[in-house]
Amino acid sequence: MAGESGVGGARLLSAVGALRAAIDDVTFPLDLPSADAARLTRRRLLAQLDDYVIPRVASLDAPLLAVVGGSTGAGKSTLVNSLVGREVTLPGILRPTTRSPVLVHHPDDERWFAGPRILPSLARITGRHNASDGPGALRLVPTDAVAPGLAVIDAPDVDSVVEANRDLAGQLLAAADLWIFVTTAARYADAVPWVLLREASERGASVAIVLDRVAADAVDDIRTHLASMLREQGLGTAPIFAIVESSLHDGLLPDDQTDRLKGWLAALAGDAQSRAAVVRQTLDGALDVLTGRVEEVVSATEAQRDAARTLADAASSAYGQAVDAVRDAVADGTLLRGEVLARWQEFVGTGEFFRQVESTVSRVRDRFAAFLKGGPAKADELGEALQSGVATLVADRAEVAARTATRAWHALPGGEQLLSTHPGLKRPSLDVDERIARLVRDWQGDILTMVRSEGRDRRTTARIMAYGVNGLGVVLMLVTFASTAGITGAEVGIAGGTAIVGQKLLEAAFGDQAVRDLARKAREQLVERVEALYAAEQTRFEGAVSTVQPETDHATALRRAAAAVQEER
Ligand SMILES: Nc1nc2c(ncn2[C@@H]2O[C@H](COP(=O)(O)OP(=O)(O)OP(=O)(O)O)[C@@H](O)[C@H]2O)c(=O)[nH]1
Ligand SMILES: [Mg+2]
């Protein structure tokens, strides 16, 4: 670690602080399967940084903090009292006894513990312990009985039936430079303490074991067995202090049973180098596992990002399909049915007529011209039928797209959640009909502009004037809707004839090539307008997604911050 010189420590501290900020920034707004675990990992990471890594890096020379942990009734409070030589923490026969942790330190070390440097979430209390002390506070006990440079915490039980106790014990152990793990001859193979010991081993924390309440003649056997269990968990270097079952005097263990542990702790406290080694081991271990834990958070943020993307894609594909459907329908003759066809027949007669006149284009033209001049009201009726056909098509497809996107979201991770917060999404937006009406009017405007601008030379202009701009516009709309004429079945004759006779007329006015271009352009303009309208509809889905999409790239920020910490070690 680069922390030996003041500079390295400062740089590591700022890297760790930046990592903390990056972790703090992360949210998991979508309730994905991975989110719960990731939220917990995030909270634990923050707690470990706040309770241990940051305060430790900030003051490498602060006293070594030893946390006495273990199962309820193992004798933790009795041990701490015995180390101090008087009752500083309340032992008891009711399980669990210790609810509020007690920190014992040398009076000279008070400044390290009185403030929020470590365990900032726990209020400090002083004075004599009290049976009503709760889990939200840390009782500080200054005493000459412990050496300067070492503080001991009596923690609540790790496997408590009381959840607050368990959580607090976990938090305290995470804040420890050294775990003094108390177990008994009867319970040293219990599962829960071993889960914690394994965690300590994985984190590389410094651990010492107190094997309490052992019958004198069983000490060797149990110690050997426990040592082999510790080795299996990668804790082979943890010293074991066995305490023989004895009767207590004034609630304290006999001195001869605690002397070895007292001596070991005093030596540790008195020797800056071995104290630093213990601190270094635990800090290094904590920094080692940091990257892996951060990576868990990273993959959960990536899962959030991917889910958000998939939701946005589903909406995009639904509206893409809607545009395609409109594009097909405006070209394949679909719109030349029903009402439109009826108006057209009133306008120019029946399919039979078209078939007959196909060969005699001039007659068509004459009749047509006469009709356009004589019946502007009929041309308007046809125009309206065409417009309402377009409007209905665009509205239907908008409805289908909203339903398709909604159905996709129901099946996608996170989709249900967004639909419940944005219930309007399952229908098109409220003013969609108005906007479609405007779209159709605007498109009609496009068509009239095109018709007018075709009058480039005088002859064309004269012809266009002869037929009338509005009438030609209506016929152009009609031809636009049949220009690929993918019409089948019984309507072929009628609708096909419809297109052909309209086309002949337009050719007479504009010339052959111009008609094909005009029809193509008219169709493109309509599709463009529909695309814009559907894009606006789709935006509502994107808006919903954006509420769960972080603005910053958390994954990259986290990885960078974690790498920076590793570089400064
Ligand atoms: N005879 C005898 N009794 C002990 C010994 N150690 C602890 N006890 C008793 O066992 C009971 C539990 O001891 P505590 O020290 O309160 O245990 P603890 O681990 O602090 O328990 P929690 O605070 O509930 O987690 C108390 O009644 C102690 O007096 C021992 O070595 N010998
Ligand atoms: Mg206790």
Side-chain angles (χ1 to χ4, degrees):
M1 189 173 67
E4 227 114 15
S5 73
V7 176
R11 290 179 49 165
L12 177 59
L13 183 61
S14 94
V16 171
L19 176 61
R20 194 215 179 274
I23 296 169
D24 197 34
D25 264 357
V26 174
T27 53
F28 306 96
L30 284 175
D31 287 324
L32 304 181
S34 64
D36 274 345
R39 288 185 192 118
L40 185 65
T41 304
R42 174 182 166 279
R43 269 204 307 281
R44 285 203 179 137
L45 267 169
L46 289 176
Q48 220 213 344
L49 288 169
D50 288 344
D51 291 341
Y52 184 66
V53 177
I54 291 175
R56 189 34 97 189
V57 174
S59 42
L60 284 166
D61 49 351
L64 188 144
L65 184 64
V67 172
V68 178
S71 306
T72 182
K76 299 181 293 298
S77 300
T78 304
L79 178 72
V80 170
N81 287 337
S82 304
L83 291 175
V84 175
R86 66 183 168 95
E87 190 186 272
V88 290
T89 175
L90 205 62
I93 42 172
L94 298 179
R95 304 268 68 83
T97 305
T98 306
R99 301 293 186 98
S100 159
V102 175
L103 185 150
V104 187
H105 61 83
H106 190 272
D108 292 349
D109 285 338
E110 190 187 337
R111 68 199 157 96
W112 295 111
F113 303 109
R117 185 186 65 94
I118 59 158
L119 300 166
S121 63
L122 298 179
R124 305 309 199 241
I125 46 178
T126 52
R128 202 181 143 67
H129 57 74
N130 189 314
S132 67
D133 285 353
L138 177 66
R139 179 169 295 283
L140 297 181
V141 179
T143 168
D144 287 330
V146 298
L150 175 85
V152 179
I153 289 186
D154 177 28
D157 53 318
V158 293
D159 50 358
S160 191
V161 289
V162 182
E163 191 182 335
N165 267 18
R166 271 196 325 263
D167 291 352
L168 182 53
Q171 188 189 359
L172 294 169
L173 286 171
D177 293 305
L178 169 67
W179 291 24
I180 299 180
F181 217 89
V182 182
T183 185
T184 62
R187 303 191 51 188
Y188 68 90
D190 279 7
V192 176
W194 280 100
V195 170
L196 281 160
L197 283 170
R198 210 168 299 132
E199 217 181 283
S201 161
E202 278 159 15
R203 278 190 5 210
S206 301
V207 177
I209 309 285
V210 173
L211 178 60
D212 215 348
R213 312 195 71 160
V214 200
D217 59 358
V219 170
D220 288 343
D221 286 349
I222 295 182
R223 181 204 288 278
T224 310
H225 186 210
L226 179 58
S228 78
M229 288 175 77
L230 287 168
R231 264 197 308 279
E232 274 168 30
Q233 301 299 335
L235 291 166
T237 56
I240 300 173
F241 300 92
I243 295 179
V244 171
E245 169 73 67
S246 26
S247 45
L248 306 174
H249 300 282
D250 294 335
L252 303 180
L253 293 158
D255 282 346
D256 63 347
Q257 291 305 316
T258 53
D259 280 348
R260 244 191 89 227
L261 178 58
K262 270 189 208 157
W264 185 74
L265 288 174
L268 203 54
D271 176 12
Q273 241 179 349
S274 46
R275 215 168 60 208
V278 167
V279 168
R280 190 66 39 84
Q281 182 190 333
T282 304
L283 182 57
D284 272 351
L287 293 175
D288 281 344
V289 297
L290 217 53
T291 310
R293 292 263 167 90
V294 168
E295 201 52 42
E296 285 172 36
V297 175
V298 166
S299 28
T301 68
E302 285 173 339
Q304 295 272 324
R305 192 199 53 201
D306 293 348
R309 239 179 239 166
T310 307
L311 289 166
D313 287 351
S316 158
S317 119
Y319 283 96
Q321 282 165 23
V323 171
D324 289 345
V326 169
R327 187 182 289 119
D328 290 348
V330 298
D332 69 3
T334 305
L335 289 169
L336 302 183
R337 288 170 190 158
E339 178 73 7
V340 168
L341 201 54
R343 294 283 87 81
W344 176 247
Q345 282 169 350
E346 278 175 23
F347 198 36
V348 287
T350 62
E352 194 52 37
F353 164 78
F354 293 127
R355 262 198 284 281
Q356 282 170 12
V357 296
E358 242 183 279
S359 50
T360 51
V361 171
S362 59
R363 264 181 62 203
V364 177
R365 203 161 55 219
D366 292 348
R367 174 165 181 168
F368 208 91
F371 188 83
L372 282 178
K373 279 197 207 134
K378 293 244 184 269
D380 285 349
E381 276 172 23
L382 174 59
E384 271 159 32
L386 280 162
Q387 287 167 32
S388 86
V390 174
T392 307
L393 169 69
V394 176
D396 283 353
R397 288 296 156 178
E399 175 98 38
V400 170
R403 260 190 280 125
T404 307
T406 306
R407 201 175 327 113
W409 277 25
H410 275 300
L412 285 171
E416 206 70 58
Q417 182 190 343
L418 286 188
L419 287 170
S420 70
T421 47
H422 299 80
L425 288 178
K426 54 179 175 289
R427 307 258 312 121
S429 49
L430 292 174
D431 64 344
V432 78
D433 288 338
E434 260 165 66
R435 287 190 296 124
I436 290 173
R438 200 178 317 130
L439 175 148
V440 173
R441 272 199 308 279
D442 290 348
W443 182 57
Q444 201 191 6
D446 295 342
I447 289 205
L448 294 179
T449 308
M450 268 193 285
V451 169
R452 274 191 212 102
S453 65
E454 270 307 304
R456 275 174 308 238
D457 58 58
R458 245 188 257 144
R459 267 180 54 223
T460 323
T461 310
R463 281 202 307 263
I464 291 174
M465 286 312 156
Y467 291 121
V469 172
N470 283 339
L472 284 173
V474 170
V475 179
L476 175 53
M477 243 188 246
L478 188 97
V479 169
T480 298
F481 293 148
S483 47
T484 62
I487 302 159
T488 54
E491 283 171 338
V492 166
I494 300 167
T498 300
I500 287 161
V501 80
Q503 191 164 334
K504 295 291 180 204
L505 175 80
L506 294 179
E507 282 167 5
F510 303 120
D512 299 16
Q513 181 55 42
V515 171
R516 271 194 294 280
D517 286 352
L518 284 171
R520 182 179 45 77
K521 241 189 272 169
R523 200 164 51 239
E524 277 168 8
Q525 268 165 340
L526 175 59
V527 171
E528 252 169 54
R529 289 191 181 278
V530 170
E531 269 171 346
L533 186 130
Y534 287 172
E537 290 291 290
Q538 188 188 325
T539 302
R540 300 175 313 133
F541 286 85
E542 277 158 9
V545 171
S546 75
T547 62
V548 293
Q549 229 163 10
E551 274 161 29
T552 47
D553 176 0
H554 289 307
T556 307
L558 283 169
R559 286 207 175 107
R560 271 208 200 115
V565 167
Q566 300 308 334
E567 259 167 47
E568 295 303 337
R569 290 175 66 184

